[in-house]
Amino acid sequence: MEKFIDNLKEKLKEKGYKLTPQRRAVLEVIITNEGEHLSTEEIYDIVKKNCPDIGLATVYRTIQLLDKLDIISTLYLDDGCNRYEFNIQNGEHHHHHLICESCSKVIEVKIDLLEKLEEEIQVNYGFEILDHKVQFYGKCENCK
Amino acid sequence: MEKFIDNLKEKLKEKGYKLTPQRRAVLEVIITNEGEHLSTEEIYDIVKKNCPDIGLATVYRTIQLLDKLDIISTLYLDDGCNRYEFNIQNGEHHHHHLICESCSKVIEVKIDLLEKLEEEIQVNYGFEILDHKVQFYGKCENCK
DNA sequence: TATCATTTGAGAGACATTATTAATTGAAAA
DNA sequence: TTTTCAATTAATAATGTCTCTCAAATGATA
Ligand SMILES: [Mn+2]
Ligand SMILES: [Mn+2]
Ligand SMILES: [Zn+2]
Ligand SMILES: [Zn+2]
């Protein structure tokens, strides 16, 4: 954990931002709940346990900042709000998500396998790909 | 155009819905503006020209219905609202989108090339894939 | 310790979307 | 054709997510 906080501090300092207790607390919640894809409101509820006076606006601001610094990623899983997750390996393209249309479970896919498609796109469309978001919709093991 | 409306009428009837002038008008706007990725508000503004008394809530309801009937698809392109497009070939998986992080231009990619990845997912995760949404983020030809 | 730009919490505000409700419509029955 | 009645509509209120504003607090630096 401490190494992630150090990395946060470094990235913040690089851009002239400060490492505040609130920012530390928000990132800790996101890391501790890895794989949960928490919304801002959910992060707010958890972070208040250790940081009771934090304001919701601060959570929103911190999340925006963490996203800008590439420390977290934003997901949209079709349920009306943005959700967030920690970028374990910095600079890596994002993993994929399987969304079950029956039970709404979200499953993570760690294999990427988009190299060939990305290569074709770069060549045929002259588009430089920096990241991707891939969602598959269907039925999970239990629901099909 | 008329064949798409006939298809709409058929699908509506199948489920006990009626083909109203409002529903016809909304679908016509989406088809006529293919590739535009219109938002609900944008559809509303265009459809009012031929259908001045239509209400915004009706446009929202119609879009929900068209999506449920698989006549249109919902996109989320990170600009704060849902956007929609006509599903030309019914039952086909959805094409991909390239989103330029500099000028916000959205480019469509007609090639799919996800077969291998989808195959691996079905085998390794026991997940039955019915559709996907794929967005690539980066720099377009003009911006890189 | 004094300075001062950054950050914060509280609450107002903006915006997209959904719910409510009374009136209208239109397809099937009489 | 007229009657019937559930489906649909327009208008508008309500909701939920997120952003903005601003005065107070904080914390790095001198
Ligand atoms: Mn994930
Ligand atoms: Mn498209
Ligand atoms: Zn499921
Ligand atoms: Zn561009």
Side-chain angles (χ1 to χ4, degrees), chain B residues 33-46:
Chain B
N33 295 275
E34 209 230 298
E36 289 293 307
H37 308 118
L38 298 176
S39 67
T40 311
E41 207 87 28
E42 287 164 355
I43 293 168
Y44 176 57
D45 287 340
I46 297 171

Side-chain angles (χ1 to χ4, degrees), chain B residues 17-18 20 22-23 53-55 58 61:
Chain B
Y17 302 116
K18 294 171 183 171
T20 65
Q22 292 91 337
R23 286 172 178 170
D53 292 335
I54 197 171
T58 298
R61 277 185 301 244

Side-chain angles (χ1 to χ4, degrees), chain A residues 88-127:
Chain A
I88 299 191
Q89 274 152 312
N90 211 271
E92 283 259 316
H93 279 196
H94 204 269
H95 61 259
H96 315 321
H97 292 99
L98 314 179
I99 301 162
C100 179
E101 289 176 340
S102 297
C103 68
S104 299
K105 188 162 69 177
V106 177
I107 300 155
E108 307 197 319
V109 176
K110 299 297 184 177
I111 48 178
D112 188 328
L113 285 183
L114 287 181
E115 295 82 10
K116 195 182 163 200
L117 175 55
E118 295 195 351
E119 176 65 23
E120 287 235 20
I121 288 170
Q122 315 238 25
V123 170
N124 293 326
Y125 292 82
F127 190 92

Side-chain angles (χ1 to χ4, degrees), chain A residues 26 29 38-49 51-60 63:
Chain A
V26 167
V29 166
L38 299 176
S39 68
T40 311
E41 209 85 29
E42 287 165 355
I43 293 168
Y44 176 58
D45 287 340
I46 298 172
V47 86
K48 263 199 298 194
K49 291 175 191 165
C51 204
D53 292 334
I54 197 169
L56 180 57
T58 299
V59 178
Y60 271 101
I63 283 168

Side-chain angles (χ1 to χ4, degrees), chain A residues 74-78 81-82 133 135, chain B residues 74-84 99 133 135 137:
Chain A
T74 303
L75 311 176
Y76 188 73
L77 302 176
D78 301 274
C81 62
N82 285 317
K133 292 185 186 174
Q135 302 105 259
Chain B
T74 303
L75 311 177
Y76 187 72
L77 302 176
D78 300 275
D79 69 340
C81 63
N82 286 315
R83 295 181 170 279
Y84 303 91
I99 301 161
K133 292 185 185 173
Q135 303 105 260
Y137 297 85

Side-chain angles (χ1 to χ4, degrees), chain B residues 100 103 140 143:
Chain B
C100 178
C103 69
C140 78
C143 294

